[in-house]
Structure formats: structure tokens, C-alpha cells
Amino acid sequence: MGMTTIYDVAELAGVSPATVSRVFNGTSVSVEKSKAVRDAAKELKFVPSRTARTLRRQSSEVIGLIIPDIENPYFTEMARGVEDVASEAGYSVVLCNTDAQVDKESTYLQIAISENMSGVIIATASEQSDLDLILATGRPVVAVDRSTTYDVDGVVMANRAAGASATRALIDAGYQRIAYIGGPEHIDTAAERASGWRASLAHAQPDADLEALLRFATFRVDGGRAAMEELLSMPEPPDAVVAGNNLIGVGAIQVLTEHGLTPPRVGVAVIGSLPFTTLSPTAVTVVRLPARHMGVTAAKMLLERIGGDEQPSRTVVLRNELRAASVPR
Amino acid sequence: MGMTTIYDVAELAGVSPATVSRVFNGTSVSVEKSKAVRDAAKELKFVPSRTARTLRRQSSEVIGLIIPDIENPYFTEMARGVEDVASEAGYSVVLCNTDAQVDKESTYLQIAISENMSGVIIATASEQSDLDLILATGRPVVAVDRSTTYDVDGVVMANRAAGASATRALIDAGYQRIAYIGGPEHIDTAAERASGWRASLAHAQPDADLEALLRFATFRVDGGRAAMEELLSMPEPPDAVVAGNNLIGVGAIQVLTEHGLTPPRVGVAVIGSLPFTTLSPTAVTVVRLPARHMGVTAAKMLLERIGGDEQPSRTVVLRNELRAASVPR
DNA sequence: ATGAAAGCGCTAACAA
DNA sequence: TTGTTAGCGCTTTCAT
């Protein structure tokens, strides 16, 4: 029960505790002693205490990944990217789910400090997110998906371009009344994507009443469902819709299917991938967002900062990839 | 940069470090001193070091959740359940993704020990999984989804029943040649679900050649796709299929859709939910597995053990819920 | 109720 | 190369 320590190993191996520590940290130790230590460690099933090491070093090989919705495949795909890079570098990743609540987010940021994590990658819960405390500790922070008002590194999608090209694909396919269901207005990604839709549509149809075709929802399946129902109940319903994220897209398509309006009868373009869709892949236009790549990029940037990189903060904007529906209307 | 400690707070508040500690641990301190300490702590933006506390106490308010596939919604749904219960009790959850690899799993189990986590919830990567080391430390372990040969608490689904009722639903709907695509044969959940299928089908069709209709795949979308393609290329293809998990189901339905055999033209029953499907919910039979509930149950059991509960180990089997397709063939 | 002091397991500066 | 030793920040006995 009482864990075995470097002192136990040292005694069995006939060396000092410091030598044991050195063996496990790769600093110069003679071959014989090194072997003696390893043998003793194996014999005693020694597992070094990260806790003690962290306390001593004032830093742990752990990075925090703070996201608003762990059940959204977009974020889990990103988490995979982060994890792959981090574990390659010997870091472990603590995944924290905020449910888009600022107070939960604050708690996790405190924990990051309190556990001496070396850095944090965060998709902020809202504009209200408070990074002051963690930045005051000098820990590096990388913002993903959403940008912040803080002077930190960031990795974001080309959101306006995504909204624009999704919309253009529907225009090119001949749809006339193209609605937009976006995420919460106060989230910058949502606003930017909507502005891309607005620009494309205004360009093609200068006289269209855009605001009548615009809905804001939560970034969740039920948000997409509710907004789609509402759009269908309009006196003059849209003949196509752009979904502001993957889950909204799922909800919208579900409702359309239930109403017998399976795409492409009503045109659908989704910003974000639908990894678990059962639709024919050619029925819906998708603007693929490179979520995994976002995670990989963020993790690399964070590790550079942890390594002492002091250059001015950067924001990387990731290109997205249009896959237009190929089935004729 | 150097973090503020209880010593700094103590000095500002004019008390001893021990008193500061007591304030943050809820032991008896006079009202005035308590207030002085809180004020000083706020002023200095004091964040107590979990690392130091963990080292001293030899235990941290962290539980490890080790799963084979973080991108599978089944596991993220479960993670939500774990997280909700844990954070309610003041614990944080570290999510560890093993990719179904035993060596990654061992690494995470070592980290759990090394970080003094209070316990672990694990969906084992395989039969080879090695829990000896962590059990030797006396830490509680709860096995989820898959059972183990170790004497630990467990929470599992009623897998055989799930396989049987999925199959029966297809039989009742009038399908004749009902294939099965299961997960890897060596994983017990996969084997049990398959045996449920086998039993139901053998009962209804004593002369059927079951093995010709059985395929094993990975528990992933591509596994389902490959197996379904193979089934369709048989001289006498099946007219229905049972998918051994959610991702296999997605893959199978994708392939069917691409071949113009949208359910219910070919009958489909899936063991597990399809949270992001865009199908009409009535076209496919689903055996809902209560993943969130599994997480909740496991977390509660683990917390009881952490609290000192010493009763003999238990395994909870969770009931599932059949939602038969309601669209006629 | 409060303070003094020891020590959790490790690392790193200093000596040898 | 190796050992000795002083903490990292906290909790917790033991006195007071």
C-alpha cells in the first residue's frame, strides 16, 4: 500500500536515491549501477511518483484540453489530434468538458494551475471567458476554434469562407431561397459563418430579404431541429439551408427527412463533417473542417511555447475543403 | 511566476500556515481569522496547490477513465455520465484513450498510480489487459462495458439479450436471411452479442447455415463497411443484417445506401444508438444501450469504494431498450 | 483554536 | 560519476 520509493530502490541496488533519480531521468550513471537500479526497480515494481516530481519541478508533463462539448465529434476529433502530438512528446492530456458554462471553465482553469499543468488548449465557452488568472501564472495558452481578446496563440477555421462557399455551392446548384441556421450569435465562429452566408447570398440575390431566412440556434442537434421546423412552417419555406455546424446539420436533415423532404429535394450544406451520417455521401454539401489538424497544430504550438519559444503570438487560420453534393436536384 | 503559497497568505493575514490550511479544509478556525485568511487569499489570488496536497495526502481527487476509442459516441456518452457524477462529488476526471492497444493502456494505468489518482474506471482494451499492478496498490477499479477476469466491480450491458432481441425484431418483420456483423471475436461483448443472434436465429430457422451469415469486423465504421460489402457480394446475399455496435451499423447502412438498398429494403438492426444519424428514426431497429447510465453507475460504485466500501465485488448488468423499425418493408 | 515542525517522494545544487 | 542535502507546498500530529 505505502508506495515503493526511490529510497527502497536505492537500498536494494546499493546506491544513493539521487542515483536512482538520475537513472530515471537519463543523466549520466555508470552502466553497472544503472543496471543494478533497473533490476531493483523491476523487482520492487517501482513506479516513480509524478506527484512528487511535479511538486519539485513546479511543472508536470500534462496539458489541459478544455472544450465546451465532449459529445460533439468535432471536438473529439480535435482531441485525437492533440493527444497524438502530446503523447508523442511524452505529455498526457487531461480532457475537461465545460458544457459551455463559464464557471465550469474557470474551475478547470484553476485546476490547471493547481495541478501545475504545463499549458492549456482551450475552446472558450463564451466571450466572457476569463483567462487572466492562468495567464498571470505565465503558463502558455492556445485558443482553438474560437478566437479570444487575449494575446495568446490561436488556431481557427476560415469561418467566413466556409459560410460563403457552402452558400455558393447551393446557389450554383440552382436553389433560390437559401436559409441559414447558425450557432449562438454571441459566438464569433457562428457570427463569421453567418456573415459568409449573408455575403454570398446578397451578392447573388441583391433584393433578397436575408434576415427572414436567418435563424440562430444552439450548436446542438435539438437546436438544428427546432430551427428547421420553424423554417418549414414559414408561409414561403426555403428550398435550401446552410447549417452552421455539424450537429445543427444533423438536426436539420432529420427534420427534413421526417417531412419527406430528403436532400437534395431541399438542398443542404453543412459546415463541418458528418462522421456518422448514413446518408449517401453525395446528397449533401459538406464544408470539411480539419478538426484533427486543428488539434495537431494547437498541440505543436503549445509544446513550442512550453519549450520556451518567446516569439509574438500567432493565429493560424486553417483552410477548409468543399465537397459539393453531386446528386442532381 | 513563483506561485503564491499558504505562507504568503499566512503572512498577510497574520496567522500561521496551518491556519490557512485549516480554512481551506473546513476545520475549526475562528470567524475573524477565517475572514482574514479569505481576504488575504483573494487579494493574492491564491490558488492552493493540488500537487502538494496530493503528495502529502497520498491521494488526489482525480479519477482516471480509460477507454479504447474516444471518437466513439458510445464512450463519450458514457464519459458524460462519469463526469457528471464525479464533478458533483468534487472529483475531476482524466480521460485516457488507448486505441484498444494494451501497451497504451498499461502506460495510462501507470500514470494513474504515479499521479496518485483515487481510482480508475476502465473499458479494457482486450483480454490481455493487465490490472495486476494497479490492483496491487489497493486502488479501486471498476470495469465498464467489458468484463474482466479480475475480482473487480463491473457494469456491463445485457449483451446476449441485445443480440437476441435485435435479431428477433428482424425475424418478426419477416426477414429470412439475417446476417450478423460483430466486433472482434476475442472481445467478450462481441462474442455475447453474436451468441444472442445465433440463438434467436437457430430457434426460428433450425436448418439455417449460421456461420455463412456471420462476419467479424473491427468495432469501427470501416469494419462495418467492409463486412457489409462482403455480405452483399455473396451468391445469395442476406436480406437483413444485425450490426454488433453503433459504428458497424453506420458503416453497414452507408454501404447499403450506396447500393440503393436503403433500409428497410434490407432490414437493419443496430446494437447501440445512432446519435448523429440522419435516417428516418423509423427505418432501422435499434437496441438502445444506456451508455450514460453505465457511466453514472460506474462512477457511483467507484466513489463508494474510494469512500471505503469493502463489500464483495459486484457486477451490474444494465437492461437495454428495443426500438423496432416501424416502417413496413 | 492556534502554532511549530515533520515529512509526503522527488530533483538539483553542491561537494567530493 | 556519485552522494549529501535542502527544499517544492501542503497536511497533520503534537503541544500550547
Side-chain angles (χ1 to χ4, degrees):
Chain A
M1 194 72 203
M3 66 192 310
T4 72
T5 73
I6 52 171
Y7 289 89
D8 305 322
V9 177
E11 193 177 338
L12 182 59
V15 300
S16 79
T19 300
V20 177
S21 171
R22 289 185 185 111
V23 168
F24 284 94
N25 289 285
T27 40
S28 47
V29 176
S30 72
V31 189
E32 317 88 77
K33 301 224 170 192
S34 176
K35 177 167 173 11
V37 168
R38 284 181 200 291
D39 290 349
K42 178 164 287 178
E43 164 118 19
L44 297 174
K45 297 184 177 171
F46 169 68
V47 178
S49 164
R50 286 185 162 222
T51 305
R53 151 196 276 250
T54 297
L55 179 60
R56 177 58 226 239
R57 290 244 202 121
Q58 293 296 308
S59 144
S60 71
E61 270 82 57
V62 173
I63 68 184
L65 174 57
I66 304 180
I67 58 177
D69 182 5
I70 195 192
E71 295 192 70
N72 185 337
Y74 174 70
F75 289 116
T76 55
E77 187 186 334
M78 183 189 88
R80 271 308 294 264
V82 171
E83 217 221 343
D84 290 347
V85 172
S87 68
E88 180 68 27
Y91 281 74
S92 37
V93 176
V94 174
L95 228 182
C96 311
N97 185 52
T98 63
D99 260 331
Q101 290 168 225
V102 177
D103 57 334
K104 280 200 180 186
E105 186 176 79
S106 300
T107 304
Y108 280 122
L109 286 166
Q110 291 232 18
I111 291 178
I113 299 171
S114 191
E115 300 258 23
N116 292 287
M117 294 182 193
S118 353
V120 162
I121 296 174
I122 183 171
T124 52
S126 87
E127 304 269 82
Q128 281 21 285
S129 295
D130 182 0
L131 303 183
D132 285 327
L133 196 58
I134 189 150
L135 291 175
T137 68
R139 282 180 178 69
V141 172
V142 175
V144 283
D145 189 50
R146 303 163 187 190
S147 54
T148 78
T149 55
Y150 292 89
D151 177 31
V152 296
D153 290 334
V155 187
V156 296
M157 302 297 179
N159 288 306
R160 195 162 190 282
S165 64
T167 308
R168 224 174 302 120
L170 292 174
I171 294 171
D172 292 349
Y175 294 99
Q176 299 293 327
R177 284 178 61 73
I178 302 172
Y180 185 87
I181 307 176
E185 206 167 353
H186 61 89
I187 295 182
D188 65 344
T189 57
E192 286 172 18
R193 290 172 190 177
S195 87
W197 162 81
R198 199 178 273 114
S200 280
L201 202 52
H203 180 76
Q205 307 173 2
D207 302 328
D209 178 7
L210 298 184
E211 304 314 312
L213 291 167
L214 177 59
R215 293 289 179 285
F216 292 106
T218 60
F219 267 146
R220 297 198 316 255
V221 174
D222 55 355
R225 292 190 61 99
M228 193 70 239
E229 290 282 10
E230 213 185 299
L231 287 170
L232 287 182
S233 70
M234 290 171 70
E236 202 181 345
D239 64 352
V241 62
V242 177
N245 85 340
N246 55 352
L247 302 187
I248 288 174
V250 168
I253 295 170
Q254 283 179 355
V255 168
L256 288 172
T257 305
E258 288 161 23
H259 284 257
L261 297 170
T262 319
R265 277 192 56 189
V266 167
V268 175
V270 179
I271 302 174
S273 308
L274 301 173
F276 305 117
T277 188
T278 46
L279 275 175
S280 159
T282 52
V284 167
T285 292
V286 166
V287 180
R288 252 206 106 254
L289 302 176
R292 204 196 106 87
H293 187 207
M294 186 170 74
V296 166
T297 307
K300 284 182 179 166
M301 288 170 92
L302 189 72
L303 289 174
E304 283 176 23
R305 294 294 184 188
I306 291 171
D309 184 347
E310 296 272 306
Q311 68 177 286
S313 66
R314 315 147 279 180
T315 291
V316 175
V317 179
L318 263 28
R319 290 187 55 102
N320 37 245
E321 183 195 340
L322 178 73
R323 294 191 189 171
S326 57
V327 172
R329 263 183 93 178
Chain B
M1 194 73 206
M3 64 191 315
T4 72
T5 74
I6 53 170
Y7 288 88
D8 306 321
V9 176
E11 192 176 340
L12 182 58
V15 299
S16 80
T19 299
V20 177
S21 170
R22 289 186 183 110
V23 169
F24 284 93
N25 289 285
T27 40
S28 47
V29 177
S30 72
V31 189
E32 318 88 76
K33 301 223 172 192
S34 176
K35 178 167 173 11
V37 168
R38 284 183 200 290
D39 290 349
K42 179 165 286 178
E43 163 116 20
L44 298 174
K45 297 185 178 170
F46 170 67
V47 178
S49 163
R50 287 186 160 220
T51 304
R53 151 196 276 249
T54 297
L55 179 60
R56 175 59 225 238
R57 292 242 200 124
Q58 292 295 303
S59 145
S60 71
E61 269 82 59
V62 173
I63 67 184
L65 175 57
I66 304 180
I67 58 177
D69 182 5
I70 195 191
E71 295 192 69
N72 184 337
Y74 174 70
F75 288 116
T76 57
E77 187 185 333
M78 183 189 86
R80 271 308 293 264
V82 170
E83 217 220 343
D84 290 348
V85 171
S87 68
E88 180 67 27
Y91 281 74
S92 37
V93 176
V94 175
L95 227 183
C96 311
N97 184 53
T98 64
D99 260 330
Q101 290 169 223
V102 177
D103 57 333
K104 279 200 181 187
E105 186 176 78
S106 299
T107 304
Y108 280 121
L109 286 166
Q110 291 233 17
I111 290 178
I113 298 171
S114 190
E115 301 259 23
N116 293 287
M117 294 182 194
S118 350
V120 162
I121 296 174
I122 183 170
T124 52
S126 89
E127 304 270 82
Q128 279 23 280
S129 296
D130 183 0
L131 303 183
D132 285 325
L133 196 58
I134 188 147
L135 290 175
T137 68
R139 284 180 176 70
V141 172
V142 176
V144 284
D145 188 51
R146 303 164 186 191
S147 55
T148 78
T149 55
Y150 292 89
D151 177 30
V152 296
D153 291 334
V155 187
V156 296
M157 302 297 179
N159 289 306
R160 195 160 189 283
S165 64
T167 308
R168 225 175 302 119
L170 292 174
I171 294 170
D172 292 349
Y175 294 99
Q176 299 294 326
R177 285 177 62 73
I178 303 173
Y180 184 87
I181 307 176
E185 207 167 353
H186 61 88
I187 295 183
D188 64 345
T189 57
E192 286 171 18
R193 291 173 190 177
S195 86
W197 162 80
R198 200 178 273 116
S200 280
L201 201 53
H203 180 77
Q205 308 174 1
D207 302 328
D209 177 8
L210 298 183
E211 303 315 311
L213 291 166
L214 176 60
R215 293 290 180 283
F216 292 106
T218 61
F219 267 146
R220 296 198 317 254
V221 174
D222 55 355
R225 291 190 61 99
M228 193 69 239
E229 291 281 10
E230 213 185 299
L231 286 170
L232 287 182
S233 72
M234 289 171 71
E236 202 182 345
D239 64 352
V241 63
V242 177
N245 85 340
N246 55 353
L247 302 187
I248 289 174
V250 168
I253 296 170
Q254 283 179 356
V255 167
L256 287 172
T257 305
E258 288 162 23
H259 284 257
L261 297 170
T262 320
R265 276 192 56 186
V266 166
V268 175
V270 179
I271 301 174
S273 308
L274 302 173
F276 305 118
T277 189
T278 46
L279 272 176
S280 159
T282 52
V284 167
T285 291
V286 166
V287 179
R288 253 205 104 254
L289 302 176
R292 205 196 106 87
H293 188 208
M294 186 170 73
V296 167
T297 307
K300 284 181 179 166
M301 288 170 92
L302 189 72
L303 290 174
E304 282 176 23
R305 294 294 185 187
I306 291 172
D309 183 346
E310 297 272 306
Q311 69 177 286
S313 65
R314 313 149 278 180
T315 292
V316 176
V317 180
L318 264 29
R319 290 186 56 104
N320 35 246
E321 183 193 341
L322 179 73
R323 294 192 188 171
S326 58
V327 172
R329 260 182 93 178

